[in-house]
Amino acid sequence: MTTSIVAEDTPKARKREQWGWYWYDFANSGFQTTVITVFLGPYLTALAEKAAGGENGFVAFLGFDMRAKAYFSAIVTISVVLQIIVMPVAGALADHTGRKKELLGLFAYLGAAATLCFYFVAGDAYVLGGALFVTANVAFGAAMVVYNSFLPQIAGADERDAVSSRGWGFGYLGGFLLLAVNLYLYQRSGIEEGLAVRISLASAGLWWALFTVIPMLRLRNRPVEGHDATVAQAVGGSFRQLGRTVAGLRHYPRTLHFLLAYLIYNDGVQTVISFSATYADQELDLGKDVQITAILMVQFVAFGGALLLGWLGSRFGTKRTVLASLVVWTGVVGVAYFLEKGAAVQFYAIAFLIAIVLGGTQALSRSLYSLVIPPGREAEYFSLFEVSDKGSALLGSLTLTVALQITDSYRVAILSLMIFFVLGFALLVAVNLPRAVREAGNEAPAHL
């Protein structure tokens, strides 16, 4: 894989490109909040139940009879499997052709177009809705791989943390603003509920497409070795490099140990996020207004929570702070099992706890990972981390699907996710991080 370097740009040119980069996080966060977190799960589940003739009915799915209430988690599982396949291809094309801006635009606008088409998903068209979601989510993941690969080119090592954090914060702002508009549309516009949901879903596609124009104007490609490679050569070369990186992990067993721990507990994190709206709607009988206002609160609190966990990490140690956050996640899932139907205050309390640990768990985990990878090979190892991160919801969504299929209980399904946090905690406890850092050729910080 080609190693990216920061071009010798003027400070003004670098700032201009960095601001363009921030705007893509602003553009795509509406898909994460409005589509995945709030509206689509309950809406597709309702369409599937309508087609099944009731909430306990079955729908045809890939030649099988599936409970309608398990349909959305099954669709998420399929989209994640395809993400794992497509994301290395996206990285291959970006690294070996040098046409990152064009690829970012291709995947972003494919995802935005599929999201816009949610407007036409009505009646019992659950199959169309599932196909559009798979397309949009796969494109979303592929675009994020290309988007993240710009960071080493637009920011030097001494400013990379700040640039990355600003982009992340800008994304929270974008997700909050669009969701606030959709909250007004859903609650106060007087529009029929189904139509309001379809407009909200489609608005995320419009938002995504509109604000992607800014990075398309400001980001630029850099020449890379092998830019004249064919698509087949680019894809093949990237998969060979990924294979060499995976094989090389045997020389860094504690790095592999940490990556496995992260994959498991992050699986739980991602699944709780994607399943929360469906759980609130189907099991707790909470309306969209409660769900949306809870997510709006999360958008505010999560950024401050990440800063808080970052401060705790510098004071008490990063590993201890991540472990403490996993204890909170375990408690959140356990308490969610006992939430009373219609208890909005209880749901808000759970959402607040999630917001406190949400950003910090992932940000501190990324920081730890950066210490246990060999210097000079960051791009290779972070490509593996990206596949683990984006593909980590596979086991969680599959666990939900199986639990719902067998027990027909949302409460048992949410409780089943506890295993990811417990197992992830145990694996992380067992990692000798100071030794992992030294084996990778790095110097261990004072508070690890």
Side-chain angles (χ1 to χ4, degrees), residues 357-439:
V357 295
L358 174 60
T361 302
Q362 296 171 309
L364 293 180
S365 297
R366 181 173 60 181
S367 178
L368 283 176
Y369 184 72
S370 71
L371 295 171
V372 298
I373 58 178
R377 301 175 66 187
E378 293 87 356
E380 295 178 26
Y381 279 82
F382 265 108
S383 70
L384 190 62
F385 186 80
E386 188 70 19
V387 170
S388 300
D389 183 40
K390 299 301 180 185
S392 66
L394 171 61
L395 293 177
S397 59
L398 182 60
T399 300
L400 283 178
T401 302
V402 172
L404 283 170
Q405 182 76 358
I406 294 175
T407 69
D408 192 25
S409 170
Y410 284 100
R411 293 184 185 270
V412 173
I414 196 72
L415 195 64
S416 69
L417 299 179
M418 189 179 292
I419 185 62
F420 293 96
F421 300 113
V422 173
L423 182 57
F425 181 96
L427 288 171
L428 184 56
V429 165
V431 179
N432 187 333
L433 280 175
R435 185 172 177 181
V437 173
R438 291 193 299 270
E439 288 176 346

Side-chain angles (χ1 to χ4, degrees), residues 44 63 91 96 122 128 140 146 171 180 200 205 236 345 352 360 365 372 399:
L44 273 189
H96 289 267
L128 173 61
F140 176 83
V146 181
S200 296
V345 173
F352 182 83
S365 297
V372 298
T399 300

Side-chain angles (χ1 to χ4, degrees), residues 2-21 92-104 146-156 159-160 163 215-228:
T2 304
T3 301
S4 300
I5 60 174
V6 180
E8 295 182 359
D9 295 326
T10 65
K12 183 177 180 180
R14 293 265 293 283
K15 285 292 183 184
R16 172 183 171 84
E17 203 165 6
Q18 288 168 6
W19 274 102
W21 189 77
L93 296 176
D95 283 339
H96 289 267
T97 68
R99 297 187 177 275
K100 292 185 177 182
K101 187 169 77 169
E102 291 84 352
L103 286 168
L104 178 62
V146 181
Y147 166 73
N148 288 332
S149 72
F150 273 102
L151 181 58
Q153 297 178 326
I154 65 174
E159 59 179 342
R160 204 165 295 167
V163 170
M216 289 297 98
L217 293 175
R218 293 196 171 190
L219 293 173
R220 61 188 177 86
N221 295 324
R222 271 77 171 177
V224 297
E225 183 181 350
H227 67 280
D228 56 346

Side-chain angles (χ1 to χ4, degrees), residues 45 145 187:
T45 300
V145 170
Q187 287 184 318

